């Protein structure tokens, strides 16, 4: 049994992009707790601290989603890879959401400031912590491995991440994805039972189907901007699931499902 066998064959899937990030700060436990209520699986991002701890963060820098500017020991450009996990634990990854209201859900009255303030301080999460939580709920997850090409963990990241997946006995609940397709080849060699997905944002690879088959992926995750009905049909017909990011309009999601997409990543859960 692999990742996709967790779902009914004909079911169209809603994926919580970085958790329920329109109503909670992204990639935090509060976002994941909300996401399991209204999605089929969660997507999150894994990168590495200076001392090699796999942590959940989308950006290469800390400024957008934390209060890092309040601490003198952190210096611009506030790169994640420059700080240890112990240092990162000093930061609050939740309060920025109230300040920025990124999806205007506070302004629209969808979520209340009091509700957000009542949450405990949102510390940076480790992959280990998140998988422990998701395993408890038997909830599937798409782990995106960030491109670590310019870090000391480029060659070891995949093995480290898979070790944690195996520790939590979550091989069948995890879909590994990355824009760095060499990581997908590494993952298959380390544990071919973990399903993988090739991410693409701008341009499809030349001879796309051949490329995907060489990678041994079961899924292709293209951006909404480069996905059309022909692409979805061709890739799906080759037995590869098509999962499209990021689509917040309900009508667009329905259109993509009708065209054959298996899953759609969204910031807005209903």
């Amino acid at each position: 049994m692999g990742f996709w066998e967790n779902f009914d064959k004909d079911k169209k899937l809603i994926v919580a992009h970085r958790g329920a990030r329109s109503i909670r700060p992204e990639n935090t436990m509060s976002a994941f707790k909300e996401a399991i209520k209204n999605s089929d699986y969660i997507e999150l991002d894994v990168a590495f601290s200076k001392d090699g701890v796999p942590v959940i963060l989308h950006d290469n820098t800390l400024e957008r989603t934390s209060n890092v500017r309040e601490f003198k020991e952190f210096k611009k450009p506030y790169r994640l890879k420059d700080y240890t996990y112990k240092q990162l634990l000093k930061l609050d990854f939740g309060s920025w959401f109230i300040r920025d209201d990124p999806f205007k859900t506070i302004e629209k009255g969808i979520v209340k400031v009091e509700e957000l303030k009542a949450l405990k301080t949102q510390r940076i999460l480790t992959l280990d912590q998140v998988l422990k939580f998701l395993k408890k709920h038997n909830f599937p997850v798409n782990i995106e491995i960030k491109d670590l090409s310019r870090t000391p963990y480029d060659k070891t990241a995949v093995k480290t991440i898979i070790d944690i997946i195996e520790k939590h006995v979550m091989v069948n609940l995890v879909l590994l994805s990355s824009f760095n397709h060499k990581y997908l080849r590494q993952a298959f060699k380390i544990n071919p039972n973990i399903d993988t997905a090739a991410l693409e944002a701008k341009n499809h690879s030349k001879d796309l189907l051949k490329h995907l088959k060489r990678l041994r992926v079961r899924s292709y995750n293209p951006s909404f901007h480069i996905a059309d009905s022909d692409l979805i049909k061709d890739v799906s017909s080759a037995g590869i699931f098509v999962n499209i990011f990021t689509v917040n309009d309900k009508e667009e999601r329905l259109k993509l499902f009708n065209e054959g997409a298996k899953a759609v990543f969204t910031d807005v859960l209903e």
Side-chain angles (χ1 to χ4, degrees), residues 114-126:
E114 294 76 15
E115 182 181 353
L116 294 167
K117 286 183 176 180
L119 298 172
K120 293 181 179 179
T121 300
Q122 300 294 294
R123 303 299 180 190
I124 196 165
L125 293 169
T126 66

Side-chain angles (χ1 to χ4, degrees), residues 31-159:
F32 299 146
K33 286 179 178 178
E34 288 296 320
I36 64 175
K37 300 175 184 178
N38 296 301
S39 66
D40 296 295
Y41 65 94
I42 285 169
E43 184 268 353
L44 53 80
D45 309 276
V46 177
F48 282 70
S49 64
K50 183 178 181 179
D51 52 341
V53 178
V55 293
I56 312 305
L57 190 74
H58 175 269
D59 298 3
N60 294 324
T61 59
L62 302 160
E63 192 169 15
R64 181 176 66 88
T65 58
S66 82
N67 61 339
V68 67
R69 287 174 288 180
E70 297 176 11
F71 296 82
K72 291 183 179 181
E73 70 181 272
F74 293 86
K75 308 295 182 184
K76 288 186 177 182
Y78 306 119
R79 295 179 301 188
L80 170 67
K81 67 180 182 179
D82 292 336
Y83 299 99
T84 66
Y85 174 61
K86 184 177 179 180
Q87 288 176 297
L88 295 170
L89 283 176
K90 298 176 182 179
L91 304 178
D92 172 15
F93 284 82
S95 58
W96 70 274
F97 189 91
I98 297 174
R99 180 193 71 218
D100 294 352
D101 193 12
F103 293 89
K104 304 303 177 186
T105 47
I106 298 173
E107 179 182 312
K108 295 173 184 176
I110 296 170
V111 59
K112 294 180 173 59
V113 170
E114 294 76 15
E115 182 181 353
L116 294 167
K117 286 183 176 180
L119 298 172
K120 293 181 179 179
T121 300
Q122 300 294 294
R123 303 299 180 190
I124 196 165
L125 293 169
T126 66
L127 178 62
D128 188 74
Q129 290 169 334
V130 176
L131 292 191
K132 182 179 180 180
F133 166 74
L134 293 176
K135 177 66 175 180
K136 180 180 178 181
H137 294 275
N138 197 41
F139 203 83
V141 59
N142 179 170
I143 298 172
E144 179 187 334
I145 307 174
K146 303 302 290 184
D147 189 353
L148 303 164
S149 298
R150 297 181 181 180
T151 77
Y153 302 104
D154 179 48
K155 295 182 179 179
T156 59
V158 177
K159 177 66 165 57

Side-chain angles (χ1 to χ4, degrees), residues 200-202 204 221-227 243-246:
E200 189 54 68
K202 296 180 180 179
H204 302 294
N221 296 8
S223 164
F224 169 72
H225 301 291
I226 62 170
N243 317 301
I244 299 172
F245 70 94
T246 303

